[in-house]
Amino acid sequence: MPPRQHFLVLTFPFQGHIAPALRLARRLLAAAPDALVTFSTTEAAHARMFPAKQPDGGGGAANEDEDGGRLEFIPFSDGTAAGYGRSGGPNAFNDYMASFHGAGPRSVAAIADALAARGRPVTRVVYTLLLPWAAAVARDRGVPSALYWIQPAAVFSIYHHYFHGHVGAVVAEHRHDPSFVVEFPGLPPQTIGDLPSFLTDSTDPSDMLHSAYITIRDLIDTLDGEGPKATVLVNTCQEMEVGALAAMGAYDVLPVGPVLPSGDESGIFKPEDDAEYMEWLDAKPANSVVYVSFGSLASMGREQLEELLLGLEESGRPYLCVIRKDVKVALAEEEAEMHGRVKNGVVVEWCDQVQVLSHAAVGCFVTHCGWNSVLESVAIGVPMVCVPRISDQRMNAQLVVHEWRVGVRAQVDGGGVLRAAEVRRCVDEVMGNSEAAAELRQMAGKWKGIVAEATGKGGSSDRNLMAFVDGASTLYLQGKGKAV
C-alpha cells in the first residue's frame, strides 16, 4: 500500500510568512482527514512559537505535535544560533540570507530523510516565497513540490513578467521616477511607485535587501525549471484577482485563499494573555473604533509616533493602537510622554488582530497593508486606511483602493512621515457620514460576502484546495514521486 499523504510545509521565519503557512497546514489537515502534515520553520522562530515548551537554554530543536499527531512541528537550521536580528547593521539581512540558503537545504533534507526512517515519508513539499531551494530538495528525492505564494497574484504576475524580460529595462531606467507608468499583462497600468519595492529599491547589490531581489529571481527560475508545470498555490481567491491570476504564466495556478485562522494560530507569537483591550472594545459603540497596526516588522521613529497619536487624538474617535514592544523599548525615553498624549484610545504591545477586526466596535483599520492584514480586513468587512511601505504593500494598497474600493490611501510627506492632519483626514474619509464613506462600507460588506462564499464549502477556493489535495495523491500513485 502507498503511504499516507504527508505534506512537508516549509516557511521563512517571519511572522507574516509563518501565519499563512500554518493556516494552510491546518486547511490541508481538514481537507484530507487521513493526511499528515509536518510544519517546519527555523529553530529560532520555532522557539518563539513554543516558548513554554523549550528546555532551559533550548534552541527550539524540540518537536511538537497537534491534532493527534497528524500535525508535527520540526524546526530546520538556518546556520545561525539566534536567527535574523534587525539590529545587526546595514548588511545584516543579506548576510542572514546567505546563511539561510546555505544551511537550510541541508537541514531540510536531513529532516525529510529522518521522517522517512520513522515511517512518515513525505509525499509533497509545500514552500513559501523565499525558499526556492525547497523545490530542489524535493526533486532530489523524487517528490513533487508546490510554491505557496503568500502575496497577491498581482505581485506574482509582476515578478513573473519582469524576470521574463517584460519592461524590466524600462523599470530599471525609471526606478527613481515614482510617477512613471508601466504596463504588465492582465493588470491595469501601474506607476513605478506602486511596483514591489524589491524591483525598484533593491536591484543594486549594495542595497540592504538585495538578497530578497535575488531570491525572488531564483524562485521564478526554479518554477520555470519544474515540469511539466510548476504548481503555485496563491493566498487569494479567483473573484478577487481575475486578471492577475490569468496572467501568472505557464504554471498550474490554484487560488486557495484567503487562508484565514481556523483556531488560535493568529497568536503564534503572543507574548502574554491580556484581553483588557477586548473589554475596552466591548464598551464602545458599533463601528466607532479606529484600529491601528503596522505589522510585525515595520519600525517607527519618534516623529512618526508623535504624528500618529496626534492625528488619532484629533480625529475625536476612540482608537486601539498597537505599538510593538521593540519599538517602545527603542523609544523608552518618550514612553511616558507618549502615554500622556493618549486620551481617547488604548495603546497595546500586541493584540489578536482577527479577534479585534471581528469586533462590532471596530469601524476602520489603519494598516501597513501587509497581505495577511489586508485579507483579514477584507474577509471581515472592515474598511482600511492604507499606509504602505515596502515589498508588496504598495501593490496591496492599489488593490484595496482601486480594485475593491474598500479603503483610502494615506500620503506621507517627503521624509516618509505620515502627518497628523493626513491621519485625521483619512480616518474621517472612511468613518464619516459622507456618501463616499457609506460606499466604502457598502463595498466592504460586499467583498466580505464574496470571500465567505469562495472559502466556504464548495466555493472556488475550497474546490481548488480539494483539487490540490487530490492531485497530490494522484501524483504519488502515478509514480511521479517516491516518498522520502
Side-chain angles (χ1 to χ4, degrees):
M1 288 183 62
R4 298 165 70 180
Q5 285 193 81
H6 185 179
F7 299 92
L8 176 58
V9 178
L10 305 167
T11 188
F12 199 71
F14 287 173
Q15 183 173 357
H17 296 230
I18 291 175
L22 183 53
R23 294 169 186 179
L24 179 66
R26 298 188 192 279
R27 287 277 301 276
L28 290 170
L29 288 175
D34 192 48
L36 303 172
V37 174
T38 297
F39 183 90
S40 187
T41 187
T42 62
E43 292 171 348
H46 180 96
R48 293 198 303 275
M49 292 173 69
F50 302 101
K53 298 181 181 180
Q54 301 305 317
D56 291 341
N63 297 5
E64 309 290 342
D65 63 72
E66 296 180 8
D67 200 15
R70 291 177 60 217
L71 174 59
E72 187 173 18
F73 297 83
I74 303 178
F76 66 84
S77 172
D78 59 8
T80 72
Y84 169 63
R86 282 175 284 183
S87 59
N91 211 40
F93 183 76
N94 293 330
D95 291 342
Y96 174 75
M97 290 297 282
S99 174
F100 182 85
H101 291 319
R106 295 190 298 271
S107 183
V108 168
I111 288 171
D113 294 340
L115 286 167
R118 288 173 46 204
R120 293 171 67 105
V122 173
T123 61
R124 190 98 191 221
V125 172
V126 179
Y127 61 98
T128 58
L129 61 88
L130 292 180
L131 288 79
W133 46 261
V137 172
R139 188 168 55 249
D140 289 347
R141 285 154 178 78
V143 174
S145 63
L147 168 66
Y148 177 34
W149 186 257
I150 57 172
Q151 295 179 351
V155 171
F156 183 96
S157 181
I158 287 172
Y159 283 133
H160 169 77
H161 292 290
Y162 177 93
F163 287 114
H164 283 89
H166 185 90
V167 306
V170 176
V171 172
E173 180 181 356
H174 296 278
R175 66 191 183 100
H176 297 302
D177 180 3
S179 63
F180 188 85
V181 176
V182 293
E183 294 191 25
F184 291 87
L187 298 175
Q190 304 293 325
T191 66
I192 292 290
D194 287 321
L195 298 183
S197 65
F198 297 144
L199 298 183
T200 58
D201 303 343
S202 302
T203 57
D204 192 317
S206 65
D207 186 78
M208 62 186 299
L209 297 176
H210 180 65
S211 56
Y213 168 81
I214 296 298
T215 301
I216 293 171
R217 182 199 65 187
D218 293 347
L219 178 64
I220 299 299
D221 286 344
T222 294
L223 295 174
D224 289 344
E226 294 286 288
K229 272 188 175 183
T231 298
V232 182
L233 307 177
V234 189
N235 192 13
T236 191
C237 66
Q238 180 69 39
E239 295 80 356
M240 293 176 75
E241 296 191 83
V242 175
L245 285 164
M248 278 185 61
Y251 310 127
D252 183 11
V253 179
L254 294 170
V256 297
V259 182
L260 302 171
S262 57
D264 64 355
E265 64 269 21
S266 61
I268 51 177
F269 294 126
K270 182 178 177 180
E272 60 187 44
D273 184 14
D274 182 0
E276 290 184 4
Y277 58 87
M278 294 303 297
E279 296 177 4
W280 180 82
L281 284 172
D282 289 341
K284 302 302 177 187
N287 300 314
S288 66
V289 174
V290 182
Y291 169 57
V292 185
S293 177
F294 292 145
S296 59
L297 290 177
S299 59
M300 187 181 300
R302 175 180 179 175
E303 184 178 20
Q304 179 59 89
L305 182 59
E306 290 177 344
E307 291 289 328
L308 176 63
L309 292 177
L310 179 60
L312 291 170
E313 288 290 334
E314 289 180 347
S315 77
R317 293 177 171 86
Y319 60 89
L320 173 62
C321 185
V322 179
I323 306 295
R324 291 196 322 270
K325 185 175 182 178
D326 61 304
V327 173
K328 292 175 70 175
V329 169
L331 301 172
E333 295 180 2
E334 291 83 25
E335 184 170 358
E337 185 180 349
M338 176 190 75
H339 283 288
R341 291 196 186 92
V342 176
K343 309 294 185 185
N344 296 327
V346 171
V347 174
V348 298
E349 295 177 357
W350 176 92
C351 74
D352 185 324
Q353 180 159 289
V354 172
Q355 189 179 30
V356 167
L357 287 172
S358 301
H359 198 286
V362 174
C364 173
F365 181 15
V366 181
T367 172
H368 66 308
C369 279
W371 190 235
N372 293 324
S373 292
V374 166
L375 290 179
E376 289 163 3
S377 200
V378 171
I380 294 167
V382 177
M384 285 167 269
V385 171
C386 301
V387 193
R389 296 291 187 182
I390 64 168
S391 187
D392 60 323
Q393 295 168 11
R394 302 183 297 199
M395 191 69 213
N396 301 347
Q398 284 285 87
L399 293 170
V400 168
V401 176
H402 299 293
E403 294 291 314
W404 310 323
R405 293 180 292 156
V406 295
V408 300
R409 181 164 178 174
Q411 300 299 320
V412 298
D413 67 10
V417 176
L418 175 63
R419 294 295 174 184
E422 183 69 355
V423 173
R424 184 177 68 252
R425 182 190 70 80
C426 290
V427 168
D428 287 345
E429 189 171 344
V430 171
M431 299 186 72
N433 297 319
S434 67
E435 290 185 10
E439 183 180 357
L440 287 175
R441 292 191 287 269
Q442 180 183 8
M443 293 301 296
K446 172 187 171 182
W447 281 106
K448 177 182 178 180
I450 291 171
V451 168
E453 183 174 350
T455 56
K457 187 68 174 177
S460 60
S461 292
D462 180 64
R463 295 195 305 271
N464 285 333
L465 184 66
M466 294 305 301
F468 172 70
V469 169
D470 292 343
S473 176
T474 300
L475 278 179
Y476 178 82
L477 292 174
Q478 289 177 345
K480 292 184 178 179
K482 59 180 180 179
V484 297

